[in-house]
Amino acid sequence: MAIARKYLCLLLVSSFLLSSAYAQFGAKAIFDLRPYLSFPGLPDPRFDPLQGQGPKLKDRDEDVERGEAVQGGKPDFVTNYGGSWELVAKSSGTVSMHLQILRTNKAIMIDATNFLPTQLELPPGKCRPFIGRDKVQLLDCWAHAVEFDIETSKLRPLKLTTNPWCSSGSVDPQGNLVQTGGWDDGGRAVRYLQACPTCEFEEYPQALSVQRWYGTQVILPDGGFIVIGGRRAFSYEYVPPKGSNNDPKTGNIFMELLRQTTDRMENNLYPFVHVSTDGNLFIFANTKSILFDLKTRRIVRTFPDINGGSRNYPASGMSALLPIRLGRNPGALIPAEVMICGGNTRDAAILAEQKNFLVADKTCGRIRITDPNPQWVMEDMPGPRHMADMLNLPNGEILLINGAKRGVSGWEFGEDPYFAPVIYYPNKPQGTRFKELRPTNIARMYHSSSAVLPDGKILVAGSNTHEKYDYLAKYPTELRVEKYSPPYLDPKLAQHRPKIQEGLSQKALGYGQRFRVQFELSDAGVTIEDIKVTMYAPPYTTHGYSMSQRLIELANFNLVPMGSGFYAVMAFAPPTSAVAPPGYYYLNVVHRGVPSKAMWSVAADFFKTMYINWGNPESAILNNGYDMQLVLDNTTGSGAKSKIGYLFGSIEMLIKLVPGNSAGTATTYYLSSTGNYHDEIDFEFLGNVSGQPYIIHTNIYTQGQGNREQQFYPWFNPCDDYHNYTIHWNPNEVVWYVDGVPIRVFRNYQSNGIPYPNKQGMRAYTSIWNADSWATRGGLVKIDWNSAPFIARYRNFLPRACWWQGSISINQCAANSTANWWTSPVYSQLSAAKLGQMNWVRQNYMVYDYCKDNIRFNGQMPPECSLPQY
């Protein structure tokens, strides 16, 4: 052993990279022993969250209705708790006409720019010029949009130059807001707001082909957006690439349904649009609906008219896609069911102009849009309602909140606020599904909004039924912000609430892939039937409609007790982007109706985050952006890099390395800045001949200085399937993870004069190239080009990190804030369990450590080697 290590060290003096130690270390024995190796806290290698291996446990029964107890399981916890209300802010600064929760745990609240003054000023120098009613140019120094911190209630004013009054929006696959349309100068605008601490709106006033006022925007399975309808806009169009404009003559596509359903008061604005599980669009306007194939521009199915009055603006009913429950058969059609409630008669808006406020509709209709001959099934709410929001709750229930009992939407057009939320249980017998809950004392009517938060509470804000801000009216302009706690947050149920362990759970999900979520739960005797996992897409909510909202109940999972009140759930991600369009989701573990606090999860997309920047023409981004392959042959290698840089956070990717004879190849995955004094954090994978192990090579550069190599054998075959490689980087330490297991730490000892990478943003890079001058046995084994092409495969690139925006990011990305989750004390050093995992790896699989190479450094060891790293 000593001879072998000396041999390795001598090789590194000349090349700093490893050679053929597999013979001396008995690599084959290491791989043969894998099924029998174990360590407390380390996942059983037979229970691989990426390969779906492990002992077969009982699966959830696919034939059981949503929310019902399955055989052997226990029923949901029963509570008479009607919920509770808390005032979390006396003023949001501006009315929350539009509301979107971002992955940074910030709520974006947006009003119209022509309603002024608000209660929040823009920073100095940010005023907006506009033309007043007397045609004189004036300055508007009031904020009409804010970023609201959902945990601290802190406000950040946002500047808007185009008017988003009654506009639409959604978040893109990276979790950034894309907002469309509005009134006057904003009717054709597309606005972008990146999810970062200092970002402002970027606005493109002529991007759309026609004015889109009261239009609906939804995200599509390919990650793009469609905008449908609007006042006198009987058409749809796709949101163009950022910075480009749709042609006013050809950019919009006529839709007969919209022309057919308009009437004297329109009643077909903000059409209800849901992406069905087969990829087609369900489009509902007034009383009519169709299933529409965007590819062929044909109607797949025309549904029966719904009974009752008009359901869209200004009659303003509500709509939601009921929870999508996935079955175990990946090829089976997944049912999709739509629910529509409330509204008013066709002429209610005309009568409201005359101060005759008709009682709103109290009926609801459900229809299974994937059935070949579907029919509406009608039932009654506890009371009449319009202008309300309908929200999917994380446990599969539906919440109706806000709104009024008489009139319609519009200035001074509504009466009799509906103060009480109503919960709807989709799976109970008809006639027992609705339950009225504890009311608020604040009227939330026209231009109010609400949103489900990651902790399960409901954020409620806004209400303004007037042409300007009026605080003395019968229903005053409302700037107070509340949170409502639904029944599942009954304090008596707190002991039954799961707690997700984010550091031990997989957050980047690929379609159809198996993944692992670990959670803590104090209850004893928990079985698979007691648990379900849900994913929720946070919607853009305005005017009683939550755009792009969907809740998915995952299926086909196992429950593995991990000891001492800890469990691991093995679940399959949604099978296609039609079921779950790409982007960020809340992921909840639900225990007998009680949901955990959500963990942000994401369907990673290479198209949106990386691009191939050099090399082999066979290299490609595949599968709608979720997979990438890089290719090396005897002419060239290839590489890719991220579109933006980062400073602190977690950057991870699934990689499957070159199979077979990979000797002489080097596959890389690293972060790097630029210049002679660059910072860099490296994973490199050094190939080998068939049957011999890869070497995982790690290194770190600070201010251009490297020479800090550590190398490991993998404890698995990295060519058989994808494995997760993560670089976690914060102001305290850099940690290299493989499948969630830490293998190396580099701590910040800048106070000791040792440079640390904390002043430069770094992009993510990956590549495959010819390194046969050093990669395998110090260059003794060359590439066998008869084995070419060599292909490395990548999946689920996930940067959960602070975006680099220049020197301003140095302090912002290091600040202790809830948005900067990586600065939390829990990430300041490894836990005892993680330290145990790392020691196990280093004792069994470490091949080389620069801090033990006295020959290389002539006894003058790097200063960090004498300091504790763990």
Side-chain angles (χ1 to χ4, degrees), residues 707 709 848 850-851 853-862:
N707 301 332
E709 299 90 350
Y848 175 78
Y850 76 106
C851 280
D853 195 344
N854 285 283
I855 295 177
R856 176 183 177 187
F857 294 103
N858 295 318
Q860 300 295 314
M861 304 304 294

Side-chain angles (χ1 to χ4, degrees), residues 623-752:
N623 189 23
N624 290 325
Y626 294 96
D627 295 295
M628 181 173 69
Q629 67 178 28
L630 297 182
V631 179
L632 166 67
D633 60 21
N634 59 357
T635 59
T636 183
S638 51
K641 71 175 180 180
S642 63
K643 295 182 178 181
I644 60 174
Y646 311 98
L647 179 64
F648 302 140
S650 180
I651 296 92
E652 59 187 280
M653 189 188 302
L654 295 177
I655 304 175
K656 183 162 65 172
L657 297 176
V658 176
N661 185 357
S662 59
T665 68
T667 304
T668 70
Y669 166 49
Y670 61 101
L671 306 178
S672 183
S673 60
T674 56
N676 294 331
Y677 296 95
H678 73 290
D679 295 332
E680 186 173 314
I681 305 169
D682 295 342
F683 269 115
E684 288 186 297
F685 308 96
L686 310 184
N688 214 328
V689 295
S690 297
Q692 301 300 337
Y694 261 82
I695 289 174
I696 301 174
H697 171 87
T698 67
N699 198 2
I700 186 168
Y701 287 75
T702 55
Q703 294 295 296
Q705 178 62 48
N707 301 332
R708 297 184 176 103
E709 299 90 350
Q710 291 184 2
Q711 297 181 324
F712 307 84
Y713 286 133
W715 53 95
F716 49 86
N717 188 335
C719 310
D720 280 353
D721 209 338
Y722 291 90
H723 291 267
N724 188 291
Y725 301 92
T726 302
I727 297 170
H728 181 81
W729 170 36
N730 65 32
N732 296 300
E733 62 183 7
V734 178
V735 187
W736 291 254
Y737 287 91
V738 178
D739 287 340
V741 177
I743 63 172
R744 178 180 180 179
V745 175
F746 183 82
R747 292 200 67 78
N748 184 352
Y749 283 112
Q750 194 168 347
S751 59
N752 295 51

Side-chain angles (χ1 to χ4, degrees), residues 71-113:
Q71 184 177 3
K74 296 173 280 293
D76 287 352
F77 292 104
V78 176
T79 175
N80 292 320
Y81 185 65
S84 63
W85 292 86
E86 57 180 318
L87 185 69
V88 295
K90 293 182 179 179
S91 176
S92 57
T94 188
V95 168
S96 184
M97 181 191 298
H98 314 276
L99 180 61
Q100 175 72 62
I101 306 298
L102 298 183
R103 59 181 172 82
T104 53
N105 289 333
K106 300 294 194 300
I108 305 302
M109 300 177 178
I110 302 172
D111 198 10
T113 58

